[in-house]
């Protein structure tokens, strides 16, 4: 019996309710949904939060946490008799090193973290009181769909989730579809190492997000709004549920649904997210068709990340030109995440296009002697400090072979071995590859193994094939994960060849080229 789509969508939710993937729970879910047991097994085991053992503590192994001592943290936790496992970045880099308890609640002590002081030039204004007037939504209804789309287009707003795609183009595409059954999806599955801005928006300004979603849904005539949120963001899930209930008088019947993720970085990719929403393994779809044409349930779907949607209330109340003028090199203000070797890690809303040096000034300065920085999460690779005055925007960083991405800026000082840092990132990408396409599945493993061999042997020749493998991954991967995965290593070799030269007697004296 073929499962109905509505039943299929319940697979992950039911597995979560039953406590994860076991023989018994798989049989129950299969019987309830009509999805074959083998399919339920394969789907459930794809997600880390569904296959873990009860009672496990999860210690972050992201770049910032590794630099801050997460290895020792795990040793200490195990010495206390706790069942502790290392996991991919938990999106808490400003608190590094961190761990979650068995209920996925943050259990690490809080630390000194920064946030930009409230200011009228900011679109989201994290330090301000959360506004429940919904004036931006009222303005959108007054203007009408075509005028709102024109405002979004004129503002120059680019997607703040990583790709920097013009938001207005997406809105026009969905609005112009013949199919009138449409959906709005907010991507809150923030998993890029070094990134935690969306988490802070949901925690500090949830009504900014809800209002932005209501504006977008009304404009493109979406029948329902979904928030796909990272499963480890327990506090933020509670905050959003409360805000949605408070916002109900303003929503004119628009229905919201929160869908919790189950532990898969790849679901940050929009089509993999849609697959997860439909109760499947989170594997990216081939494009075209794009989600604006055939998205959730094969219907036109407008997808944005949290920050993009949270910009909309201020954009409409203050105007497109106001928003555009608040950027320096590109349109609008931007929330930058900053962690690593800086005095006050945190989230800072500044004009799009500030430099690293300017950003770090807001965080109290560098700790130690800065060596390198990652400007946009693990996917952006590493840049040397002679680029510290480069504009942190989409175009400038692309020009030097990097990317702004999610603006997850991590600073590394000279106590860090770049070969180690590249290896930590390589491990992350190997763990998080969905395995769908061979270039990514095989390539991520090869890069991690090559780095392990090099760090063990000190022979630069162990890295001789890195460039070729990176090219194959960039050319042949289905989605951005496989394209970006080699960048931490290739950029580190390019800018810091001395960190990848021979390390012991008898080894090669030349760096890989």
């Amino acid at each position: 019996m073929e499962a109905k789509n509505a039943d299929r969508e319940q697979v992950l939710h039911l597995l979560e309710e039953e406590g994860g993937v076991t023989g018994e729970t798989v049989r129950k879910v299969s019987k309830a949904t009509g999805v074959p047991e083998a399919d339920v097994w394969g789907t459930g085991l794809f997600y880390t939060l569904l296959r873990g053992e009860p009672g496990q503590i999860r210690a972050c192994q992201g770049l910032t946490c590794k630099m801050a001592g997460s290895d020792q943290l795990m040793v200490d936790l195990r010495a206390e008799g706790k069942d502790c496992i290392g996991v991919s970045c938990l999106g808490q880099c400003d608190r590094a090193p961190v761990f979650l308890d068995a209920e996925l609640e943050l259990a690490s002590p809080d630390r000194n973290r920064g946030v930009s002081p409230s200011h009228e030039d900011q679109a989201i204004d994290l330090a301000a009181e959360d506004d429940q007037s919904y004036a931006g939504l009222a303005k959108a209804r007054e203007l009408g769909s075509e005028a709102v789309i024109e405002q979004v287009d004129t503002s120059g707003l680019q997607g703040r989730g990583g790709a920097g795609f013009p938001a207005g183009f997406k809105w026009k595409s969905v609005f112009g579809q013949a199919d009138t059954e449409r959906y709005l999806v907010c991507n809150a599955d923030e998993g890029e190492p070094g990134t935690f801005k969306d988490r802070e928006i949901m925690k500090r300004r949830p009504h900014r997000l809800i209002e932005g979603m209501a504006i977008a849904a009304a404009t493109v005539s979406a029948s329902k709004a979904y928030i796909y949120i990272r499963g480890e963001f327990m506090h933020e899930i509670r905050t959003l549920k409360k805000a949605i209930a408070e916002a109900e008088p303003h929503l004119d019947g628009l229905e919201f649904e929160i869908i919790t993720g189950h532990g898969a970085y790849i679901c940050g990719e929009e089509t993999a997210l849609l697959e997860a929403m439909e109760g499947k393994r989170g594997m990216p779809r081939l494009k075209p068709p794009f989600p604006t044409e055939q998205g959730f349930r094969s219907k036109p779907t407008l997808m944005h990340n949290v920050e993009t949607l949270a910009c909309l209330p201020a954009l409409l109340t203050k105007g497109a030109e106001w928003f555009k003028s608040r950027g320096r090199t590109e349109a609008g203000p931007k929330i930058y995440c900053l962690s690593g070797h800086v005095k006050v890690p945190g989230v800072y809303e500044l004009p799009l296009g500030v430099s690293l040096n300017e950003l770090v000034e807001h965080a109290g300065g560098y700790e130690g002697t800065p060596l390198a920085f990652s400007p946009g999460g693990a996917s952006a690779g590493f840049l040397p400090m002679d680029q510290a005055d480069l504009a942190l925007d989409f175009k400038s960083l692309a020009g030097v072979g990097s990317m702004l991405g999610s603006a997850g800026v991590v600073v590394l000082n000279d106590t860090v071995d770049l070969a180690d840092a590249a290896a930590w990132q390589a491990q992350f990408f190997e763990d998080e590859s969905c395995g769908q396409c061979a270039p990514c599945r095989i390539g991520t493993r090869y890069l991690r193994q090559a780095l392990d061999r090099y760090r063990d042997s000190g022979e630069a020749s162990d890295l001789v094939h890195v460039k070729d493998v990176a090219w194959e991954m960039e050319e042949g991967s289905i989605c951005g994960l496989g394209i970006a995965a080699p960048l931490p290593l290739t950029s580190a070799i390019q800018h810091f060849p001395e960190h990848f030269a021979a390390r012991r007697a008898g080894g090669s004296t030349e760096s890989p080229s």
Side-chain angles (χ1 to χ4, degrees):
M1 179 181 68
E2 186 174 345
K4 297 177 183 178
N5 289 339
D7 293 332
R8 174 80 212 205
E9 289 173 14
Q10 294 301 308
V11 166
L12 298 175
H13 174 68
L14 291 174
L15 283 173
E16 180 183 19
E17 279 192 342
E18 295 292 338
V21 180
T22 67
E24 182 181 357
T25 62
V26 165
R27 285 190 291 274
K28 283 184 179 179
V29 172
S30 176
K31 185 175 181 180
T33 62
V35 176
E37 288 186 25
D39 198 349
V40 177
W41 274 108
T43 301
L45 291 175
F46 182 85
Y47 298 93
T48 59
L49 296 183
L50 294 177
R51 64 174 185 252
E53 294 295 326
Q56 286 182 324
I57 289 174
R58 299 171 181 268
C60 181
Q61 297 293 288
L63 173 63
T64 303
C65 281
K66 293 284 276 189
M67 294 192 301
S70 63
D71 289 342
Q72 185 60 48
L73 173 64
M74 290 183 65
V75 169
D76 294 342
L77 289 169
R78 287 168 176 164
E80 296 172 9
K82 295 175 179 175
D83 184 8
C84 178
I85 59 169
V87 297
S88 294
C89 182
L90 290 172
Q92 304 283 349
C93 315
D94 49 341
R95 296 181 170 102
V98 297
F99 66 97
L100 303 182
D101 67 18
E103 303 302 319
L104 301 183
E105 299 284 358
L106 186 67
S108 302
D110 211 348
R111 292 176 171 83
N112 181 30
R113 298 176 295 124
V115 62
S116 294
S118 179
H119 195 281
E120 62 182 8
D121 281 348
Q122 297 170 7
I124 298 174
D125 203 0
L126 289 170
E129 184 178 350
D130 203 19
D131 179 16
Q132 297 188 35
S133 69
Y134 283 71
L137 178 57
K139 183 71 172 179
R141 289 170 176 157
E142 176 189 329
L143 290 172
S145 294
E146 292 185 2
V148 171
I149 292 173
E150 183 181 355
Q151 285 283 296
V152 172
D153 202 28
T154 301
S155 74
L157 175 63
Q158 296 166 274
R160 267 44 177 161
F165 194 79
F169 187 91
K170 282 188 175 182
W171 291 46
K172 290 176 185 176
S173 179
V174 175
F175 186 70
Q177 296 299 316
D179 194 332
T180 57
E181 184 180 348
R182 303 165 186 174
Y183 298 102
L184 171 71
V185 175
C186 172
N187 183 347
D189 193 50
E190 188 172 49
E192 184 71 33
T195 312
F196 43 91
K197 60 185 177 62
D198 292 348
R199 184 203 79 205
E200 287 296 296
I201 294 170
M202 290 184 287
K203 182 174 74 173
R204 295 171 181 266
R205 302 300 305 267
H207 284 282
R208 269 283 201 262
L209 172 60
I210 302 305
E211 183 178 8
M213 292 182 67
I215 290 168
T219 302
V220 300
S221 301
S223 59
K224 191 171 181 179
Y226 294 88
I227 303 174
Y228 186 95
I229 186 170
R230 184 169 183 169
E232 296 94 336
F233 285 172
M234 301 301 292
H235 176 79
E236 290 70 28
I237 291 169
R238 292 190 291 269
T239 301
L240 285 174
K241 287 181 177 178
K242 180 175 181 290
I244 290 169
E246 292 170 344
E248 188 174 354
H250 300 283
L251 299 179
D252 196 26
L254 175 65
E255 184 180 355
F256 275 78
E257 182 175 340
I258 294 176
I259 297 176
T260 56
H262 296 93
Y265 164 76
I266 191 62
C267 288
E269 196 278 337
E270 60 181 8
T271 61
L273 185 155
L274 293 172
E275 291 289 289
M277 286 178 62
E278 294 176 0
K280 306 169 191 172
R281 296 164 68 93
M283 290 183 167
R285 300 172 180 174
L286 290 172
K287 294 181 282 192
F290 295 93
T292 55
E293 304 163 298
Q294 294 181 36
F296 184 49
R297 299 170 179 164
S298 297
K299 298 297 183 180
T301 304
L302 179 61
M303 302 185 70
H304 282 304
N305 93 308
V306 171
E307 185 185 357
T308 311
L309 290 161
C311 286
L312 295 174
L315 189 159
L316 285 182
T317 55
K318 298 183 179 182
E321 292 300 333
W322 173 88
F323 182 87
K324 190 173 186 178
S325 68
R326 290 305 169 277
R328 180 180 299 175
T329 57
E330 292 175 350
K334 179 78 186 74
I335 296 183
Y336 293 91
C337 318
L338 184 60
S339 66
H341 293 130
V342 297
K343 291 182 179 176
V344 188
V347 281
Y348 299 95
E349 186 171 5
L350 299 167
L352 180 53
V354 298
S355 68
L356 174 69
N357 283 331
E358 291 174 288
L359 176 59
V360 173
E361 280 183 20
H362 288 265
Y366 295 101
E367 280 195 340
T369 303
L371 170 70
F373 67 102
S374 178
S379 300
F382 298 106
L383 291 175
M385 291 308 293
D386 63 13
Q387 299 286 341
D389 287 317
L390 182 72
L392 297 176
D393 65 19
F394 296 101
K395 185 176 181 180
S396 300
L397 288 167
V400 295
S402 184
M403 65 179 75
L404 179 63
S406 55
V409 183
V410 182
V411 175
L412 299 76
N413 68 21
D414 61 3
T415 65
V416 179
D417 183 338
L418 264 295
D420 288 342
W424 299 334
Q425 304 288 54
Q427 183 69 64
F428 168 80
F429 283 116
E430 181 186 8
D431 290 344
E432 296 300 333
S433 172
C434 75
Q436 179 176 194
C437 58
C440 181
R441 181 180 67 251
I442 298 170
T444 52
R445 182 172 69 247
Y446 175 87
L447 295 179
R448 192 267 305 160
Q449 290 175 337
L451 270 166
D452 284 351
R453 287 194 299 270
Y454 169 68
R455 292 162 75 208
D456 182 56
S457 71
E459 296 281 358
S461 59
D462 286 328
L463 303 174
V464 69
H465 296 301
V466 162
K467 253 185 192 177
D468 292 335
V469 173
W471 179 85
E472 291 167 356
M473 294 174 69
E474 291 164 9
E475 293 297 314
S477 295
I478 290 175
C479 80
L481 189 153
I483 295 169
L487 197 54
L489 178 54
T490 57
S491 63
I493 291 173
Q494 175 188 351
H495 297 298
F496 305 94
E498 67 278 10
H499 285 246
F500 297 88
R503 296 189 177 209
R504 65 178 179 83
S508 169
T509 58
E510 296 182 0
S511 302
S513 58

